Every structure is written in structure tokens, then in C-alpha cells.
Amino acid sequence: MALKSVPARPPESRTTVGRLWSSTVGKKAVMAVSGAVLLLYVVAHMVGNLKAFAGQESIDGYSAFLREFGQPILPHGGLLWIVRTALLVAVAAHMTAAIQLARRARRARPAGYERRPKVQGSYAARTMRWGGVIIALFVVYHLLDLTAGVLNPHGVQGEVHSNIVADFQRWYVVLAYTVAVVALGFHLRHGIYSGLRSLGVASAARAKAVKATALGVSVAITAGFLSVPFAVLFGIVR
Amino acid sequence: MNYTLRVWRQDGPAAEGRLVDYEVDGITPDMSFLEALDLLNERLVLDGEEPVAFDHDCREGICGMCGLMIDGVAHGPQRATTTCQLHMRSFDPAHPVVVEPWRAHPFPVVRDLVVDRSALDRIVEAGGYISAPTGSAPEAHAVPVPKPDADEAFESAACIGCGACVAACPNGSASLFTAAKVTHLGLLPQGQPERTSRARDMAQAQDDLGFGGCTQTGECTAVCPKGIPLETISRMNRDVLGGLLRSR
Ligand code: HEM
Ligand code: SF4
Ligand code: FES
């Protein structure tokens, strides 16, 4: 039989990041770490949102605090720009790695099977790629809505409470946020589970704990994010 | 009993393939799946047709040659069972049974149901060994191995290299196979000196041969006839990353 040999490859990178990026295992580690940065942000954001329940001064004051943080050492909004830069780098690394790995997977499995029942993979695992796309599109809409204010019926920067209340009076906005947040929940459930495995943390002894952590964190984040739009819709926050 | 076997026929690596329906009667419930294919081939030969090419050797679940995609499940519907150990009683004669070869870019079809799995050998050659002087067998008690490590290493060593994990993986990844090989040596004292370079070299060979990356879907473990656990991949990743973080 034609014995295939390992194809020649370019010389190895001298930087650690270069070596990681040129390997599928390393690239998944980059995805896991950038995903962890995004997860930290999402947790902080979700907890911050809960200030909406404490009334207008609380959440508007929190928004102002985030902008004034570190003055006069940092300029106005300095903290936000540091966070935004970190998020942009993380999103770029996460997405580029995901796209490259998805293309490699398609080349590795060009033909499908005639009959293919679902054997194992959870719904969350099977929807990672499209889920990521939905979340990315949502973030663009969300920035135009609540950060820039251009898609918001109130749309005044700094008046976070009024922006939120004006926004979530409309059921279709609540629906759009719900779809995105539920997609985020699924993405996080498999993302946390898989990320810990990519980093080599999930030994057989810890497998159950890894699974439970992934589920618990993603349910908490989903519920926390959904609480504000629904509270506005049902008149609890007004 | 009468079964319809819907079998992939392909004359050669470059030829177009197609699924062909064969009515096979005289199949008994305790025939193995390969025996049913033997029966089909006897009829085909008597009719002057080309028999269906399929791989097999030991027919007792230890050589790893017999992998087939049966109704879309690698090695068929029974868990932890190779195709040769599968019985026809697992199938309902009312439905055609679809039989296809493993499908992955690094596993080209040779003919009909036979694929070239030598890419797995290339992965093993990249590091699936220990560098030790050969000669007379060493004293078995010279190097003590803790029982849990010995058990786990043995569990990984049970991999028969059948390639079902690759066939089932939506990414065409060989991670479960490579992880089993990396773990089996990496857990034993004899495997320590080359532990991280071995993991890294074998993972690299896997990439270079065109296998996909792992997304932890778990399709591989579900079909593995030897039940290699998914955590084995996490263990391999730890060693590969350990290797990548260091410059050579
Ligand atoms: C129901 C759920 C959510 C609500 C009520 C909400 C609310 C808000 C508000 C009010 C702002 C603007 C804050 C300010 O201008 O001071 C904001 C910014 C932002 N949100 Fe959300 N958000 C939600 C869900 C999400 C999700 C699921 C993500 C991402 C996965 C996300 C990502 C962002 C980002 C990236 C910013 C911009 C931060 C910046 O650069 O200023 N949000 N959100
Ligand atoms: S890991 Fe399991 S499925 Fe993969 S080659 Fe080894 S025995 Fe076959
Ligand atoms: S023929 Fe050897 S494992 Fe099936």
C-alpha cells in the first residue's frame, strides 16, 4: 500500500506564542485563555447589570464610576479603554483560531456519511461555531444600542437606567437579548468544559467537577443577564 | 433471515464510489457482521461479480483491522465492540444496513470498505516509543510502578489503532488515538525522559498529516471499542503544552 509519509514542515518558531499558534493543541490553548478573559468580562458585566435593581442612581453612578476610575492618573474613560483593548485582542485571537481550526476540520473530514445519527456530542458542543457567530453579531447590535445609543429609543450616554428601561419596554428587543444570552449560555457551557480540557486540567478524577462547574457558571450567567430585561418588561424595574 | 446490506463500492482510490443494495438471505442472528459480509461475498463470487473488499484479521477484537461505519456509527450500534465482534442480532432486518468506509482526509479509500490507516503508524513513529538499550529482557521488579499508574497505562495501551475515533470525529481528529499512545508511555517510569517531547512530536505529526483539532465533542470515546476515556486527551494536552512552552 502507498505508505504515506509525514509531509515536510517549516522550521519551528522561536517564540512561545509562535509555537503555540502553529500547533492545533496550542491554538486551542490560546482559545481557552482568550475565552477565559472574555468570561471574566462577562461575569463582571453581568454582576454590574444587577445594579439596575438598586435604582437609577446606583446604575448610572456605576457607569460614571467606571469612566472616572483612576483619575487623574488615567484619563477620563481610561479604564474602559484598557478593558476594551484587552477584549479586542481576546476576541481577535479567539475568532481567528476558531476560524482556522474550523477550516482545518473541514479539510480533514471532506466527505460525510450517508446515514449519521447523533451519537454523543451535546447540543452545546455542536453549536459552538454558529453560537459564536450569533454572539459576535449581537455584540455589534448591543454596542450600537446601549453603548453608542444610536439604536436605543432614549439613547443618552450616561443615562444607563433610562436607556435600559426604554429599551426593554419592547418585547422584540427583549427577545433579541434573550436569544443572544441563551446562545451565550450554551457557548459557555461547552466552552468552559472544553477549555479546561484544552489546558489539560480535566483529569479523570476531576471530570465530573469540570462538567458541573461549566453547567453552573453558564446557568448563573444566563439567568443573571436575563433578569434585567425581564424585570423591565414586567415592570419590576421602571 | 433476509437483510438488505447497502454497501459502499469503490473500484480504486481515485474512482467515484456509490452505495449498492444487496439482498442477502440465510443470515442467522448469531452470525458476526463480518460473516454476513463473507456470505454476501460468496454469493457475489458465484455470480461472477467482484466481492466487497473489507479489512479484517483476528476476528476477535484485538487487531484493529475491521473498522466499518455501520448505519453511521463506527463499529456499529453496540458500544465497546469491534465490527468483528458484532452480531447480526443487533440489526432489524426490516431496515437496510448502511455500510461505509471510515471517512477522513488522512484515511484515503483503497477499495470499497478498505481505507489506508497508515497515517496512524506515522504518528506512532514520531514518538510512540522509549529510547532504551535492547538486549536481554530487564528484571521485571527493577523499576517499581504504582498500581494506579500501571492500571491507567494499561487502559490506554488497550487501544488497537482501529481508527474509529477518527472516523467518528466531526473534525477528523486523531486525538483519542494519539492521546492513548502518549498516555500509555507517559505514565510509566520508562517513558518519563521523553515524556513532553514525545507528546509534542506525536501531536505535531498528527497536525502535519492533516488530521483536525479536538473540540471535545466526545464522539470518539462513544465509539471506541476499547473505551479509551475522553480525559486521556486532556492528559495529552497537558504534556503537549508542556513541550511547546519550552524551546528545544
Ligand atoms: C441582558 C443582558 C445585557 C444588558 C442589560 C447589558 C447592558 C449593557 C449596558 C447598559 C452597556 C453600556 C454601559 C455603559 O455605557 O456604561 C453595555 C455594554 C457592553 N456590553 Fe452589555 N448587556 C447585556 C448583555 C451582554 C452580553 C451577553 C455581552 C457579551 C457577550 C455584552 C457585552 C457588552 C460589551 C462588549 C459592552 C461594551 C463595553 C464598552 O466597551 O463600553 N453585554 N451592556
Ligand atoms: S482510541 Fe479507540 S477508537 Fe481510537 S484507534 Fe484506539 S481503539 Fe480505536
Ligand atoms: S478483525 Fe481484528 S479487531 Fe476485528
Side-chain angles (χ1 to χ4, degrees):
Chain A
M1 202 31 249
L3 291 175
K4 193 183 312 184
S5 58
V6 181
R9 51 193 319 276
E12 153 180 308
S13 169
R14 261 175 298 159
T15 65
T16 305
V17 173
R19 281 198 300 275
L20 288 173
W21 193 255
S22 65
S23 138
T24 54
V25 173
K27 209 167 269 184
K28 282 308 290 276
V30 171
M31 281 192 77
V33 171
S34 55
V37 170
L38 297 171
L39 173 65
L40 282 180
Y41 172 78
V42 162
V43 170
H45 184 10
M46 187 276 281
V47 172
N49 283 1
L50 298 180
K51 287 192 171 284
F53 289 99
Q56 182 181 344
E57 306 85 73
S58 176
I59 186 131
D60 287 5
Y62 178 57
S63 170
F65 157 78
L66 289 177
R67 283 165 177 76
E68 288 150 16
F69 183 90
Q71 280 178 337
I73 300 166
L74 289 176
H76 185 81
L79 172 71
L80 283 191
W81 278 109
I82 292 169
V83 171
R84 284 169 187 167
T85 310
L87 289 177
L88 271 178
V89 172
V91 167
H94 199 78
M95 276 179 62
T96 312
I99 292 167
Q100 290 183 355
L101 287 168
R103 294 179 60 181
R104 165 180 272 275
R106 203 166 327 124
R107 282 196 302 273
R109 255 292 285 283
Y113 293 100
E114 174 72 11
R115 188 179 291 167
R116 189 80 179 110
K118 292 183 184 69
V119 185
Q120 206 11 254
S122 66
Y123 181 76
R126 278 182 277 116
T127 52
M128 287 307 275
R129 289 170 190 154
W130 282 111
V133 170
I134 291 176
I135 295 164
L137 290 175
F138 163 77
V139 170
V140 174
Y141 159 69
H142 179 52
L143 292 180
L144 293 172
D145 176 21
L146 283 169
T147 302
V150 288
L151 291 180
N152 189 283
H154 187 69
V156 181
Q157 284 199 8
E159 298 187 10
V160 178
H161 191 84
S162 311
N163 289 340
I164 289 176
V165 170
D167 219 9
F168 299 132
Q169 303 287 344
R170 300 167 304 167
W171 64 267
Y172 49 88
V173 173
V174 175
L175 181 67
Y177 273 76
T178 305
V179 169
V181 168
V182 169
L184 175 70
F186 278 115
H187 198 79
L188 289 180
R189 153 119 129 70
H190 186 71
I192 296 170
Y193 169 85
S194 176
L196 289 172
R197 283 160 184 272
S198 297
L199 294 175
V201 188
S203 62
R206 290 192 214 125
K208 275 215 175 78
V210 164
K211 202 162 200 162
T213 310
L215 184 64
V217 171
S218 32
V219 167
I221 289 175
T222 308
F225 269 131
L226 288 182
S227 66
V228 175
F230 280 92
V232 173
L233 189 67
F234 295 125
I236 300 164
V237 168
R238 60 180 106 204
Chain B
M1 279 189 289
N2 183 23
Y3 281 89
T4 304
L5 300 180
R6 185 169 291 167
V7 182
W8 183 261
R9 302 301 311 258
Q10 182 172 335
D11 291 339
E16 251 335 279
R18 73 219 169 278
L19 285 165
V20 180
D21 279 8
Y22 296 102
E23 298 287 330
V24 189
D25 56 11
I27 291 179
T28 61
D30 44 2
M31 268 187 186
S32 77
F33 196 82
L34 298 187
E35 283 167 337
L37 288 180
D38 290 337
L39 197 61
L40 165 63
N41 277 347
E42 281 169 21
R43 309 269 160 90
L44 288 175
V45 171
L46 286 178
D47 292 347
E49 286 183 53
E50 274 296 319
V52 177
F54 64 92
D55 254 339
H56 60 101
D57 188 12
C58 69
R59 299 209 176 195
E60 53 183 25
I62 54 172
C63 76
M65 287 302 283
C66 62
L68 295 175
M69 202 65 163
I70 305 168
D71 282 340
V73 182
H75 288 301
Q78 193 166 322
R79 286 219 166 188
T81 306
T82 54
T83 303
C84 59
Q85 297 279 290
L86 183 66
H87 292 100
M88 290 310 289
R89 56 176 167 269
S90 306
F91 298 91
D92 177 357
H95 302 290
V97 181
V98 182
V99 194
E100 294 173 89
W102 287 169
R103 294 205 188 282
H105 176 70
F107 285 177
V109 173
V110 177
R111 186 185 180 91
D112 297 336
L113 301 172
V114 178
V115 300
D116 177 3
R117 286 176 297 122
S118 56
L120 298 184
D121 299 336
R122 301 292 90 79
I123 295 177
V124 171
E125 285 164 12
Y129 49 79
I130 58 162
S131 300
T134 53
S136 58
E139 202 330 269
H141 293 295
V143 186
V145 181
K147 175 81 166 121
D149 288 357
D151 286 348
E152 218 184 307
F154 187 77
E155 186 184 60
S156 295
C159 166
I160 54 178
C162 65
C165 44
V166 178
C169 177
N171 308 305
S173 175
S175 291
L176 194 66
F177 166 82
T178 310
K181 301 300 168 202
V182 162
T183 300
H184 140 220
L185 296 171
L187 276 171
L188 297 175
Q190 295 87 340
Q192 292 313 306
E194 290 150 312
R195 183 170 145 196
T196 53
S197 64
R198 167 188 310 114
R200 179 180 166 182
D201 291 342
M202 291 177 78
Q204 187 65 64
Q206 195 193 186
D207 287 353
D208 292 344
L209 287 158
F211 289 99
C214 176
T215 54
Q216 308 287 350
T217 10
E219 298 284 349
C220 51
T221 316
V223 297
C224 173
K226 300 298 154 186
I228 306 289
L230 195 60
E231 288 71 37
T232 316
I233 298 180
S234 177
R235 211 188 161 285
M236 166 179 75
N237 289 343
R238 192 156 68 226
D239 284 354
V240 173
L241 292 175
L244 287 170
L245 291 178
R246 248 168 271 150
S247 172
R248 273 181 219 270

